[in-house]
Amino acid sequence: MHRAAVFALLLATFMCCTPARADTPNPFVYPAQLEPDVRFWIRVYTEVTTDQGLVHDDWYLGLVYEVLRFDPTDSPRQREHIVEQAKARYAQLLRRFAAGDTAGLSAHETRILHEFGDKTTPAQYREAIDRIRFQLGQADRFHEGLIRAQAYEASISRVLADRGVPAEIGALPHVESSFNPAAYSRVGAAGLWQFMPGTARRYMRVDSIVDQRLDPYSATEAAANLMLYNYRLLGSWPLAVTAYNHGPGGLRRAQDELGTSNIEVIVKHYQGSTFGFASRNFYVAFLAALEVDRNADKYFGPLTHLPDTQSTVVTVPDYVAIDALAKAFKADLGALRVLNPALRPPIWNKSRFVPRGYALRIPGTQQPADVASGLARLAPADRYVVQRNDGTHKVRRGETLAGIAAAGGVSVNRLLAANGWSGARELARGDAVRIPMPASRAEIGGAAPTAEAAAVAQALSPIAETPPATAAAHAPPPPKEPVSERQAQSAALLPAASPSGNVDSAYYSVAADDTVVVQAAETLGHFADWSKVSSASLRTLNKLHKNAMVTLGHKVKLDLSRVSAADFEAARRDYHRQLQETFFAGHRISGTENYVVKKGESLWIIAQQHADLPVWLVAEYNPDVDFGDVRPGTSIALPRVEAINRQ
């Protein structure tokens, strides 16, 4: 297809209707060349419902072959069959055009021929066959999302403003989830902001007890921090938005390959192997969603307004069963479940406690005195020092009875009694030990607790998982009916439209000349292990003295005679993945701060002076800083890291 002909045709139609700008200055550029793509997504979001869809060219989105309409009773298989038939029809039509057979065309077929332009070659018609794509409409879902969004707009605006993130980012959940906090994607993304588990664990708690991706308030804070990270690495808000889908490492690669940060150039010309339809269209889909969000009445008429549901945040003082909390605050369990979607099934089936420090939302606007009264109604017997476990523990090498008792929050005597043992007992590796209920405050909180109980309480007092807070907030009313599996699984409006599971910006690939650039936490010994050669041979290959160390940013020549470059890269990525997963099992990023390097400071010294930040995390936030030659006065970004308890 002749690109100039298509854009001339489409721009003439659309340039009179540029979407309204929200704030001035607008950080989100709106290149004219992307206008047809933005208009395509506006059409998807406002004109075509989920019982319809567009058969279109996946590169020139303004070229729509047909609007398909399904019977609401059609099964997914029937719909797929209809789509495949339509694709086959237009593939056959393009073959006719390529063969020069334009006789007897219908008015519809003639319209398609004219949209290709007069200069389209047979080869270009044949290439267009592979670009035929189907997009399901989203108008009804987007309309529902506009209504749901009202419950979160004030909170999202406040969080974005507090962190210096553009207010326009608040429209992104339209693209990700239609503002459905219970949404799950086929690739494992979840919640309002559709976080993948690996990315989410950097900023939130995600496990079988608590999944903060499903809490719209925690997830919004995480999304703001992720956006700031993307912006820090890429220096452009349009690229930061695109990186939310594709990952910042891929976008930095695009910047390097094309020598630009221009979003228009990158969207139209970057050919990365994973930069597919979803990534290429993520920014224009965001612009379309922003336009519709800011002009909802224009597209949908007056919206239904949901009544505000008031709630209050209470920090849970110990490990407490959810029914005990409901009783103390005179709250309905169903209402608590709606207000606290991050609490997973083990909390609600009573097999686990609500964790200590959890920010629990309770119905209504409570004054501080009311909150204090509710907490006072929690009996000491309902407050436990550690999390309830599954009842058994398999002994590992080196473990003792006293250590297992302390980890379970019980006394040694109680552990012995629970297992029918008397006196001291030797444990063997693999033995199964039954763990009784942990100690409650009633057992260890008396005026004169035993020395053993006091030691257990002190040893097992966990770190608060969220900062104490008592504030009024809005929450959506309970849904009229459960979200269906189909709705939840198909929430994202773009395929795989979710933040990348790998947010590390470092390049772990091997260059064409078999060299790598040393990243933080890497040594020559690592390179030797991953390439299955000796460190001595790598020193010889790189002409390094026996005591010389490789440093961050240093280029190292590899010996890949025993492993392939792909195997080396896989081992390297696995090392860094494990390094990060281990750290984020007990820490989360709560924000960033600027730091000015002082005389004599190195990357290692800076990391150690700031709550034992790992050097790889500091380096990751500052990919353009040469820490081998960092100068006093250099401003760097430091992530603020909090230790958290995962029990």
Side-chain angles (χ1 to χ4, degrees):
M1 181 186 303
H2 192 272
R3 183 174 300 180
V6 173
F7 281 122
L9 174 67
L10 295 173
L11 286 178
T13 304
F14 294 127
M15 284 305 289
C16 63
C17 306
T18 303
R21 305 304 197 263
D23 297 326
T24 302
N26 186 352
F28 297 101
V29 296
Y30 205 124
Q33 192 179 6
L34 300 181
E35 179 78 18
D37 298 352
V38 175
R39 286 291 152 187
F40 171 85
W41 288 107
I42 290 176
R43 185 178 181 185
V44 169
Y45 293 160
T46 63
E47 297 179 14
V48 188
T49 73
T50 52
D51 284 327
Q52 303 169 330
L54 305 178
V55 181
H56 67 98
D57 187 291
D58 75 356
W59 188 266
Y60 304 100
L61 301 188
L63 175 56
V64 174
Y65 294 104
E66 183 181 351
V67 179
L68 294 181
R69 292 172 173 82
F70 306 111
D71 188 300
T73 63
D74 286 345
S75 68
R77 180 170 295 182
Q78 288 172 316
R79 290 188 174 206
E80 183 178 355
H81 180 66
I82 293 170
V83 170
E84 291 306 314
Q85 284 184 320
K87 288 181 177 180
R89 287 199 305 272
Y90 291 106
Q92 182 59 35
L93 181 63
L94 293 177
R95 291 189 190 95
R96 284 184 59 188
F97 292 168
D101 179 8
T102 58
L105 296 177
S106 67
H108 175 67
E109 293 168 338
T110 301
R111 188 266 302 174
I112 294 172
L113 179 64
H114 288 165
E115 289 205 26
F116 273 89
D118 296 334
K119 297 181 180 180
T120 306
T121 66
Q124 288 171 329
Y125 283 125
R126 287 191 292 270
E127 290 169 0
I129 293 173
D130 293 332
R131 298 198 304 268
I132 299 174
R133 181 182 179 274
F134 173 77
Q135 172 62 49
L136 186 69
Q138 303 291 333
D140 48 339
R141 188 175 294 162
F142 201 103
H143 184 213
E144 294 167 359
L146 286 167
I147 296 172
R148 282 192 293 264
Q150 298 171 71
Y152 310 110
E153 286 173 344
S155 174
I156 290 174
S157 296
R158 182 171 59 252
V159 169
L160 297 181
D162 287 348
R163 285 164 173 75
V165 176
E168 290 85 352
I169 296 294
L172 192 60
H174 285 300
V175 180
E176 289 288 358
S177 67
S178 293
F179 275 88
N180 177 5
Y184 281 92
S185 78
R186 293 182 179 87
V187 295
L192 202 73
W193 294 88
Q194 288 290 280
F195 271 91
M196 295 290 286
T199 307
R201 289 190 180 99
R202 290 182 163 233
Y203 306 100
M204 298 176 281
R205 176 172 177 173
V206 179
D207 55 40
S208 62
I209 298 175
V210 175
D211 188 345
Q212 289 184 306
R213 296 179 300 166
L214 301 175
D215 178 77
Y217 306 100
S218 299
T220 296
E221 294 177 357
N225 288 329
L226 176 55
M227 278 295 181
L228 285 174
Y229 173 76
N230 290 349
Y231 180 72
R232 172 78 189 183
L233 265 59
L234 300 167
S236 157
W237 284 113
L239 293 184
V241 168
T242 308
Y244 196 83
N245 174 272
H246 187 65
L251 268 297
R252 279 181 65 85
R253 209 167 294 121
Q255 287 175 310
D256 291 346
E257 287 186 15
L258 299 178
T260 182
S261 294
N262 185 303
I263 184 65
E264 178 181 0
V265 174
I266 289 174
V267 165
K268 292 298 182 183
H269 297 285
Y270 181 51
Q271 299 295 322
S273 60
T274 60
F275 196 70
F277 183 86
S279 297
R280 182 158 42 87
N281 278 274
F282 198 73
Y283 181 63
V284 290
F286 163 71
L287 291 180
L290 179 62
E291 154 67 8
V292 179
D293 179 81
R294 296 296 168 88
N295 298 279
D297 288 356
K298 169 184 171 183
Y299 293 101
F300 293 105
L303 296 177
T304 300
H305 289 279
L306 298 177
D308 288 342
T309 300
Q310 299 294 328
S311 66
T312 303
V313 176
V314 176
T315 302
V316 180
D318 288 289
Y319 291 88
V320 185
I322 188 64
D323 52 351
L325 287 164
K327 181 179 179 181
F329 287 98
K330 302 176 182 178
D332 177 74
L333 273 175
L336 284 179
R337 191 160 193 167
V338 170
L339 290 171
N340 297 276
L343 296 178
R344 307 310 298 139
I347 298 292
W348 303 104
N349 66 25
K350 318 298 192 307
S351 64
R352 294 291 187 274
F353 299 133
V354 176
R356 180 185 178 186
Y358 187 78
L360 185 77
R361 291 183 180 273
I362 60 174
T365 302
Q366 306 281 336
Q367 299 302 317
D370 300 324
V371 173
S373 296
L375 291 175
R377 286 192 289 270
L378 281 174
D382 290 329
R383 298 166 59 167
Y384 293 86
V385 297
V386 295
Q387 181 61 267
R388 187 174 185 175
N389 54 54
D390 61 4
T392 59
H393 172 76
K394 184 170 287 188
V395 177
R396 294 187 292 269
R397 179 180 297 169
E399 286 189 316
T400 65
L401 202 64
I404 293 172
V410 298
S411 68
V412 172
N413 288 337
R414 190 172 174 188
L415 186 66
L416 289 170
N419 288 274
W421 300 331
S422 60
R425 182 180 179 89
E426 294 292 330
L427 296 178
R429 181 181 179 184
D431 282 351
V433 179
R434 182 176 179 273
I435 309 294
M437 284 283 286
S440 70
R441 292 297 175 191
E443 296 173 83
I444 65 172
T450 66
E452 181 181 43
V456 168
Q458 182 177 6
L460 297 172
S461 181
I463 300 168
E465 295 174 82
T466 48
T470 302
H474 298 290
K480 295 181 179 179
E481 58 184 12
V483 177
S484 70
E485 181 180 357
R486 179 183 172 196
Q487 287 174 316
Q489 293 296 327
S490 60
L493 305 192
L494 277 170
S498 56
S500 168
N502 176 20
V503 296
D504 193 346
S505 65
Y507 297 150
Y508 298 137
S509 58
V510 177
D513 60 353
D514 289 347
T515 61
V516 292
V517 175
V518 179
Q519 304 297 337
E522 292 181 339
T523 66
L524 200 67
H526 288 121
F527 297 146
D529 288 343
W530 301 333
S531 52
K532 300 188 186 307
V533 298
S534 68
S535 296
S537 66
L538 286 185
R539 289 187 181 279
T540 300
L541 182 63
N542 288 275
K543 299 179 181 179
L544 293 173
H545 185 271
K546 65 177 181 178
N547 295 322
M549 297 176 62
V550 295
T551 57
L552 183 67
H554 187 93
K555 184 177 285 189
V556 172
K557 177 76 172 179
L558 300 176
D559 176 358
L560 297 179
S561 60
R562 298 187 178 182
V563 300
S564 67
D567 288 342
F568 178 93
E569 291 170 356
R572 192 184 193 193
R573 285 194 300 269
D574 187 60
Y575 164 74
H576 284 280
R577 186 181 300 111
Q578 292 184 30
L579 196 70
Q580 295 170 22
E581 287 177 355
T582 299
F583 179 76
F584 288 115
H587 302 81
R588 71 167 183 170
I589 297 170
S590 61
T592 59
E593 60 181 270
N594 290 325
Y595 180 79
V596 178
V597 178
K598 300 179 182 63
K599 184 177 180 180
E601 288 186 329
S602 65
L603 172 60
W604 186 86
I605 292 174
I606 293 169
Q608 292 298 311
Q609 287 177 343
H610 290 80
D612 293 325
L613 280 174
V615 292
W616 57 262
L617 188 58
V618 178
E620 183 179 295
Y621 268 73
N622 300 274
D624 297 320
V625 175
D626 181 2
F627 283 102
D629 187 28
V630 65
R631 307 294 177 86
T634 301
S635 179
I636 64 174
L638 292 180
R640 289 198 301 270
V641 172
E642 298 176 352
I644 59 173
N645 170 39
R646 294 287 183 183
Q647 287 187 313

